[in-house]
Amino acid sequence: MVSVVGDNGYEFVGHPKDFEWGLLEGNRVLSHNASFDETLYFFGVEKGWWPKVDFAEWHCTADMAAACGLPRSLKNATAEAFDLDISKTTRDNMAAKRWENMPEEFQKEVSDYALKDSVLCLELWQKYQEQWPDREKLISLTNRRIIQRGLPMDAALLKEQLETINQRLFEAESAIPWAGEKPLLSRAAFDEECHNHGLEPPKSLAQNDVDAQEWLRQFGHKYKWVEAVTNWRRINALKKKLEAFDYATLPDGRYYGGLMYWGGHTGRFSGSGGNLNLQNLPRDEMFGVNLRHMICAPKGKKLVVADLSQIEVRTLCWLAGDRDTLDEIENTEDIYEAFAIRMGLWAKDRGSLKEKAPKLRHKVKAIVLGCGYGAGATKFSEMYSMPIDEAKGAVDLYRDRLYAIPKLWRRINNKLRQCYNTRVPYDEPLPSGRTINYGRIKLVKQNDQISHQAIVSRNGKRLPMKLWGGVVAENLSQGLARDIFSDMIVRLEEDGINLIFHVHDEVVIECDENEAESILERTIEIMSTPPTWIPDIPLAAEGQMLTRYQK
């Protein structure tokens, strides 16, 4: 079924073969999930199901909704935009039914339901499209084109690693004493087995619980079943990722997965959900499986992988107006050496920090990455397993030598208080021309502490978020980094360099083997050139030519 409405009053709902596709020639087309609808349309053209039409443009109103601070789903977006409560009962009742077996009255209900979706899609566009800048529309479209190219997969390796992970899962289950009698992850069964061995069970088994991890380190290798229980969930999650790769790899040997435009309130891209998040693939091999190695250049091709160097460190300094540090960054080959000199921990005449004092460089890197968003000594100590006195010294050193950053936090805190007191919505402009909006600020009290709170959109949901100088500075730094990176994606595509994938600050390009070197050089050149709207930020990029994707 296809449903179409026009701003001229035209309406159609029915079988695609009965629709006059030529009506769309030269017109703007809208879908509330263009990643699906447009891709299906192109697939149908290839199959000869319907004619090829030259559209003026095709936009995604789900992307638009997210960029305008609305929930991504059509139901929730229209609920917030128009105060409508759209029932999904009809869609639910369609499950497992064929059109020809539906009663006539239910066919009409389904048709009306489909047509209403198109009406709401158009109404959303008419209300919000002027709030969605043309540059953002182009980024949304470019991201969709990248997804449609698919990722080349090593089918043989995928099959081999599915067999490996199934074997690892079987071995883990076989080592759990209560397997087959009680749920494998039963906490009661786990505690009972602990008591059987004279062990006091930990209060938690969470990976982020310090005490739990210490308990597992102490007993995990001594008792095979303890290690099996803790590994089973990770092995099973890895299996689901492999199965997701397998499920969405088509006969052409390419995986078609999602990269979601505007996945969070800062505008950053995200994975499209489900068991496999392309934005968060494990870096290393786990349980005999390397997910990144599944992505493999076909014969005669290469993968060109390039990423921006320390982009969020640079954007934070720019937002803080720290011109001196930016100039030092621009005039050094090693950004962390520049920070070491700024902190008084190194001198230029001592030579290369990376070569002469790698441990010091590692510490400086930790300080730069860990202290930029307001982490105190206790938090910094936990982040880097550092003694509290050493952590306090590191935090004090950062705040003293890079004083422009704490000054940025204070400016943000002052603006938060002002917006709360005057009941003015809180927003922060970015040099790209867009604004990160937080809406009305309220005060919340928790554990005898009062803080500012906003409601923001994250992956299509409206969630509360505590705001203070450090976390907003992080948002702004990430948002600016996203805008710079998005500008580069568009410029690369306009230069004829076709991406097949991107993650955070990294692009992956598939090209002919004999062109890989020149494409890598051109990619690094483009990614090292700032956008026209922020010409004074020093950028750098690096890359490599690969057969298999890796980091």
Side-chain angles (χ1 to χ4, degrees):
M1 173 176 283
V2 60
S3 66
V4 182
V5 300
D7 56 8
N8 59 356
Y10 175 85
E11 292 186 353
F12 173 87
V13 60
H15 197 287
K17 66 180 176 59
D18 298 323
F19 175 59
E20 189 179 345
W21 290 92
L23 292 174
L24 304 181
E25 184 78 29
N27 282 311
R28 174 190 294 136
V29 177
L30 310 172
S31 298
H32 198 72
N33 183 4
S35 289
F36 176 83
D37 289 359
E38 186 188 41
T39 302
L40 177 59
Y41 170 76
F42 288 146
F43 183 81
V45 169
E46 290 181 5
K47 292 290 185 181
W49 295 345
W50 39 67
K52 185 178 186 302
V53 176
D54 291 326
F55 308 105
E57 52 193 22
W58 195 321
H59 291 301
C60 179
T61 53
D63 283 357
M64 179 193 71
C68 293
L70 299 172
R72 181 172 284 273
S73 74
L74 184 61
K75 173 181 171 62
N76 293 334
T78 53
E80 188 161 325
F82 307 121
D83 196 24
L84 291 175
D85 183 14
I86 307 301
S87 171
K88 292 296 181 181
T89 303
T90 301
R91 184 182 68 180
D92 296 338
N93 291 339
M94 283 192 281
K97 290 183 175 65
R98 294 183 62 84
W99 177 261
E100 59 269 23
N101 297 328
M102 293 179 185
E104 186 175 338
E105 62 272 17
F106 189 57
Q107 288 182 342
K108 183 178 186 308
E109 181 183 326
V110 170
S111 297
D112 291 344
Y113 173 87
L115 199 62
K116 182 63 175 177
D117 272 6
S118 292
V119 170
L120 292 173
C121 175
L122 178 59
E123 289 179 352
L124 271 177
W125 174 264
Q126 290 170 333
K127 182 172 181 178
Y128 289 97
Q129 65 96 7
E130 290 187 0
Q131 299 178 35
W132 197 26
D134 289 342
R135 193 66 178 177
E136 288 298 327
K137 293 169 187 170
L138 179 58
I139 294 168
S140 165
L141 173 62
T142 303
N143 185 61
R144 209 158 68 238
R145 292 289 175 266
I146 293 169
I147 297 168
Q148 289 165 348
R149 294 180 183 127
L151 299 176
M153 301 295 292
D154 186 334
L157 181 61
L158 177 55
K159 180 180 178 181
E160 174 189 315
Q161 299 212 331
L162 277 167
E163 292 173 355
T164 297
I165 205 67
N166 281 321
Q167 178 63 29
R168 294 295 177 90
L169 196 62
F170 172 77
E171 291 169 357
E173 291 176 359
S174 299
I176 299 175
W178 58 88
E181 299 177 5
K182 300 175 183 177
L184 291 171
L185 299 181
S186 166
R187 186 56 204 264
F190 181 88
D191 290 352
E192 181 180 349
E193 192 67 22
C194 284
H195 292 307
N196 290 341
H197 290 272
L199 300 175
E200 181 63 29
K203 293 181 180 179
S204 169
L205 289 172
Q207 289 189 15
N208 59 355
D209 187 290
V210 176
D211 293 335
Q213 294 310 304
E214 178 57 36
W215 190 94
L216 293 172
R217 277 192 293 271
Q218 185 176 355
F219 299 109
H221 295 295
K222 186 176 180 181
Y223 298 95
K224 189 176 180 181
W225 60 271
V226 171
E227 188 175 45
V229 170
T230 56
N231 285 342
W232 187 90
R233 191 189 301 271
R234 297 168 64 204
I235 296 170
N236 192 51
L238 196 55
K239 177 186 176 181
K240 290 180 179 179
K241 288 178 171 61
L242 284 169
E243 290 173 340
F245 259 141
D246 188 41
Y247 179 77
T249 298
L250 298 189
D252 62 0
R254 303 183 78 86
Y255 168 81
Y256 294 89
L259 292 170
M260 187 182 294
Y261 164 89
W262 209 284
H265 73 286
T266 63
R268 295 190 76 179
F269 298 92
S270 70
S272 58
N275 293 319
L276 183 62
N277 183 353
L278 290 176
Q279 297 279 289
N280 192 28
L281 292 177
R283 289 174 178 265
D284 303 313
E285 181 179 298
M286 297 171 57
F287 304 106
V289 169
N290 191 314
L291 287 176
R292 294 186 179 224
H293 283 183
M294 301 292 164
I295 304 169
C296 180
K299 186 177 180 180
K301 299 282 187 178
K302 281 285 188 182
L303 300 179
V304 169
V305 181
D307 67 320
L308 288 167
S309 302
Q310 310 92 19
I311 180 61
E312 289 184 20
V313 174
R314 299 164 190 264
T315 54
L316 180 61
C317 290
W318 191 94
L319 289 163
D322 192 348
R323 193 67 250 170
D324 290 342
T325 299
L326 289 172
D327 290 341
E328 291 164 5
I329 290 172
E330 189 170 21
N331 294 315
T332 184
E333 294 182 359
D334 181 0
I335 190 173
Y336 297 115
E337 183 176 309
F339 279 105
I341 295 171
R342 166 57 69 95
M343 295 177 189
L345 301 175
W346 193 251
K348 188 171 291 187
D349 58 11
R350 294 175 65 182
S352 167
L353 176 65
K354 184 182 294 186
E355 295 176 2
K356 298 289 182 66
K359 289 185 178 179
L360 175 60
R361 184 181 184 275
H362 180 75
K363 180 179 179 179
V364 170
K365 181 177 180 180
I367 294 172
V368 171
L369 298 179
C371 296
Y373 302 126
T378 301
K379 179 67 174 178
F380 188 67
S381 173
E382 293 173 355
M383 290 167 62
Y384 293 98
S385 301
M386 185 181 292
I388 188 66
D389 290 343
E390 186 180 353
K392 184 179 185 307
V395 170
D396 290 345
L397 178 64
Y398 181 92
R399 297 182 181 185
D400 178 59
R401 297 303 176 93
L402 286 107
Y403 53 84
I405 308 298
K407 187 176 179 181
L408 172 64
W409 306 336
R410 291 192 293 271
R411 178 191 70 76
I412 292 169
N413 283 331
N414 289 335
K415 187 173 178 180
L416 279 169
R417 285 191 290 269
Q418 182 181 8
C419 287
Y420 172 75
N421 291 332
T422 59
R423 301 299 185 212
V424 175
Y426 175 53
D427 57 44
E428 288 284 357
L430 291 172
S432 59
R434 75 178 179 98
T435 300
I436 296 183
N437 299 298
Y438 294 92
R440 292 286 180 89
I441 302 299
K442 66 177 183 178
L443 290 183
V444 294
K445 185 176 182 180
Q446 186 176 10
N447 299 327
D448 295 326
Q449 291 187 339
I450 297 176
S451 60
H452 295 96
Q453 186 186 85
I455 302 297
V456 300
S457 293
R458 291 180 181 173
N459 294 319
K461 298 179 181 178
R462 304 282 281 169
L463 300 170
M465 179 181 183
K466 288 184 179 179
L467 298 182
W468 54 282
V471 75
V472 174
E474 182 177 21
N475 287 177
L476 297 178
S477 178
Q478 288 183 355
L480 178 53
R482 174 267 185 199
D483 290 352
I484 291 171
F485 183 68
S486 297
D487 186 271
M488 289 171 179
I489 289 176
V490 171
R491 282 190 280 142
L492 286 167
E493 290 279 329
E494 290 174 343
D495 201 63
I497 299 174
N498 293 333
L499 282 64
I500 58 170
F501 181 39
H502 60 86
V503 51
H504 303 314
D505 57 3
E506 177 184 80
V507 298
V508 181
I509 299 153
E510 180 185 359
C511 63
D512 290 339
E513 195 169 13
N514 60 357
E515 296 181 347
E517 188 170 348
S518 62
I519 286 179
L520 175 59
E521 290 176 0
R522 180 59 179 152
T523 298
I524 290 176
E525 180 185 352
I526 290 173
M527 294 182 71
S528 300
T529 305
T532 55
W533 42 264
I534 186 170
D536 59 339
I537 187 168
L539 299 178
E542 54 187 2
Q544 55 188 323
M545 297 172 289
L546 302 170
T547 300
R548 294 185 185 278
Y549 178 53
Q550 63 187 39
K551 180 66 173 179

